[in-house]
Short mmCIF file of all heavy atoms in Angstrom, two decimals:
data_model
loop_
_atom_site.label_atom_id
_atom_site.label_comp_id
_atom_site.label_asym_id
_atom_site.label_seq_id
_atom_site.Cartn_x
_atom_site.Cartn_y
_atom_site.Cartn_z
N ILE A 249 8.22 10.34 16.16
CA ILE A 249 7.45 11.50 15.69
C ILE A 249 6.10 11.64 16.42
O ILE A 249 5.75 12.73 16.86
CB ILE A 249 7.27 11.44 14.15
CG1 ILE A 249 8.64 11.54 13.47
CG2 ILE A 249 6.35 12.56 13.65
CD1 ILE A 249 8.62 11.53 11.96
N PRO A 250 5.31 10.55 16.62
CA PRO A 250 4.00 10.76 17.28
C PRO A 250 4.13 11.34 18.68
O PRO A 250 3.29 12.14 19.10
CB PRO A 250 3.40 9.35 17.35
CG PRO A 250 4.16 8.54 16.37
CD PRO A 250 5.52 9.17 16.24
N ILE A 251 5.16 10.96 19.41
CA ILE A 251 5.30 11.49 20.78
C ILE A 251 5.54 13.00 20.73
O ILE A 251 4.92 13.78 21.45
CB ILE A 251 6.42 10.73 21.53
CG1 ILE A 251 5.95 9.29 21.76
CG2 ILE A 251 6.75 11.42 22.86
CD1 ILE A 251 6.95 8.40 22.43
N ALA A 252 6.42 13.41 19.81
CA ALA A 252 6.69 14.85 19.69
C ALA A 252 5.44 15.61 19.27
O ALA A 252 5.21 16.74 19.71
CB ALA A 252 7.80 15.08 18.67
N GLN A 253 4.61 14.99 18.45
CA GLN A 253 3.47 15.72 17.88
C GLN A 253 2.21 15.67 18.75
O GLN A 253 1.21 16.27 18.42
CB GLN A 253 3.13 15.15 16.50
CG GLN A 253 4.24 15.38 15.48
CD GLN A 253 3.84 15.04 14.07
OE1 GLN A 253 4.49 15.51 13.15
NE2 GLN A 253 2.83 14.25 13.86
N GLN A 254 2.26 14.90 19.85
CA GLN A 254 1.05 14.78 20.67
C GLN A 254 1.29 15.04 22.14
O GLN A 254 0.52 14.59 23.00
CB GLN A 254 0.45 13.37 20.47
CG GLN A 254 -0.13 13.19 19.07
CD GLN A 254 -0.39 11.76 18.72
OE1 GLN A 254 -0.77 10.97 19.58
NE2 GLN A 254 -0.15 11.39 17.47
N ASN A 255 2.35 15.74 22.43
CA ASN A 255 2.65 16.05 23.82
C ASN A 255 1.73 17.19 24.31
O ASN A 255 1.79 18.30 23.77
CB ASN A 255 4.12 16.47 23.91
CG ASN A 255 4.53 16.75 25.33
OD1 ASN A 255 3.68 16.93 26.21
ND2 ASN A 255 5.83 16.79 25.56
N PRO A 256 0.86 16.93 25.31
CA PRO A 256 -0.09 17.96 25.75
C PRO A 256 0.59 19.25 26.21
O PRO A 256 -0.01 20.32 26.12
CB PRO A 256 -0.83 17.30 26.92
CG PRO A 256 -0.64 15.84 26.71
CD PRO A 256 0.69 15.67 26.03
N ASP A 257 1.84 19.18 26.67
CA ASP A 257 2.52 20.42 27.09
C ASP A 257 2.66 21.39 25.92
O ASP A 257 2.58 22.60 26.09
CB ASP A 257 3.91 20.11 27.65
CG ASP A 257 3.82 19.36 28.96
OD1 ASP A 257 2.71 19.38 29.56
OD2 ASP A 257 4.82 18.73 29.37
N GLN A 258 2.92 20.85 24.74
CA GLN A 258 3.08 21.72 23.57
C GLN A 258 1.80 21.89 22.77
O GLN A 258 1.58 22.92 22.16
CB GLN A 258 4.13 21.13 22.61
CG GLN A 258 5.55 21.55 22.89
CD GLN A 258 6.18 20.62 23.89
OE1 GLN A 258 6.03 19.40 23.79
NE2 GLN A 258 6.85 21.20 24.87
N TRP A 259 0.97 20.84 22.78
CA TRP A 259 -0.18 20.83 21.88
C TRP A 259 -1.51 21.06 22.60
O TRP A 259 -2.56 20.78 22.06
CB TRP A 259 -0.22 19.51 21.09
CG TRP A 259 0.97 19.38 20.20
CD1 TRP A 259 2.16 18.78 20.51
CD2 TRP A 259 1.12 19.90 18.87
NE1 TRP A 259 3.03 18.89 19.45
CE2 TRP A 259 2.42 19.58 18.44
CE3 TRP A 259 0.28 20.63 18.04
CZ2 TRP A 259 2.90 19.94 17.19
CZ3 TRP A 259 0.76 20.99 16.78
CH2 TRP A 259 2.06 20.64 16.37
N ARG A 260 -1.44 21.51 23.83
CA ARG A 260 -2.63 21.78 24.65
C ARG A 260 -3.33 20.48 25.08
O ARG A 260 -3.03 19.41 24.55
CB ARG A 260 -3.62 22.72 23.93
CG ARG A 260 -3.00 24.13 23.72
CD ARG A 260 -4.01 25.08 23.14
NE ARG A 260 -4.21 24.90 21.71
CZ ARG A 260 -3.46 25.45 20.77
NH1 ARG A 260 -2.45 26.23 21.11
NH2 ARG A 260 -3.71 25.25 19.51
N PRO A 261 -4.26 20.60 26.07
CA PRO A 261 -4.84 19.36 26.64
C PRO A 261 -5.60 18.51 25.62
O PRO A 261 -5.77 17.32 25.83
CB PRO A 261 -5.81 19.89 27.71
CG PRO A 261 -5.31 21.26 28.03
CD PRO A 261 -4.67 21.79 26.80
N ASP A 262 -6.04 19.12 24.51
CA ASP A 262 -6.74 18.29 23.51
C ASP A 262 -5.77 17.68 22.50
O ASP A 262 -6.16 17.33 21.38
CB ASP A 262 -7.83 19.11 22.80
CG ASP A 262 -7.22 20.20 21.90
OD1 ASP A 262 -6.00 20.46 22.02
OD2 ASP A 262 -7.96 20.77 21.07
N ALA A 263 -4.51 17.50 22.92
CA ALA A 263 -3.46 17.02 22.01
C ALA A 263 -3.82 15.71 21.32
O ALA A 263 -3.37 15.45 20.21
CB ALA A 263 -2.16 16.84 22.79
N HIS A 264 -4.64 14.87 21.97
CA HIS A 264 -4.95 13.56 21.36
C HIS A 264 -6.24 13.60 20.55
O HIS A 264 -6.70 12.58 20.07
CB HIS A 264 -5.03 12.47 22.43
CG HIS A 264 -3.70 12.29 23.12
ND1 HIS A 264 -2.60 11.78 22.49
CD2 HIS A 264 -3.30 12.59 24.38
CE1 HIS A 264 -1.57 11.77 23.32
NE2 HIS A 264 -1.97 12.26 24.47
N GLN A 265 -6.84 14.79 20.47
CA GLN A 265 -8.10 14.87 19.72
C GLN A 265 -7.91 15.53 18.35
O GLN A 265 -6.97 16.29 18.15
CB GLN A 265 -9.12 15.68 20.53
CG GLN A 265 -9.79 14.82 21.59
CD GLN A 265 -10.29 15.64 22.74
OE1 GLN A 265 -10.61 16.81 22.57
NE2 GLN A 265 -10.32 15.04 23.91
#
Side-chain angles (χ1 to χ4, degrees):
I249 297 181
I251 292 178
Q253 295 190 161
Q254 291 165 36
N255 183 343
D257 292 343
Q258 272 87 45
W259 295 92
R260 295 186 281 275
D262 68 348
H264 297 292
Q265 278 155 28

